Amino acid sequence: MSTEFKNVYIHETECLSCSNGELYITGEDFEIVWNTETLFTDLPYIIKMVFASREETNKRIKDQLKEQLEELTRLVTIW
């Protein structure tokens, strides 16, 4: 018997709630039920990964802004 997993991309959540030791994350066309004990155990690692990802994004955006500013400065001095 084969188990097929379906990926769910979560762009936004519509509802977050807890009941009976479970966290419910509800979106437009999905609901995830997560055992809160497991979530609590995994939370430090989740937070670490999210912060690392945000830091990469922030660095990329800062680098892009710096490049654009340098290009604008170059164009203004030529003009």
Side-chain angles (χ1 to χ4, degrees), residues 3-75:
T3 303
E4 232 178 277
F5 292 100
K6 178 183 175 190
N7 287 329
V8 176
Y9 176 78
I10 302 173
H11 184 264
E12 294 180 10
T13 56
E14 294 179 359
C15 180
L16 291 173
S17 61
C18 274
S19 178
N20 299 319
E22 297 172 331
L23 172 69
Y24 295 84
I25 305 170
T26 307
E28 186 175 321
D29 57 355
F30 69 89
E31 181 172 69
I32 296 172
V33 181
W34 200 335
N35 177 287
T36 55
E37 288 297 318
T38 302
L39 174 58
F40 189 76
T41 302
D42 293 342
L43 207 49
Y45 306 105
I46 293 169
I47 292 169
K48 181 179 177 180
M49 288 185 284
V50 169
F51 269 90
S53 177
R54 283 299 315 162
E55 192 58 39
E56 290 172 15
T57 302
N58 288 348
K59 183 182 180 327
R60 181 180 48 80
I61 291 170
K62 286 177 188 177
D63 290 345
Q64 289 172 342
L65 288 171
K66 183 180 175 185
E67 289 173 15
Q68 291 300 314
L69 183 57
E70 289 170 355
E71 179 65 15
L72 285 172
T73 303
R74 186 186 68 76
L75 290 172

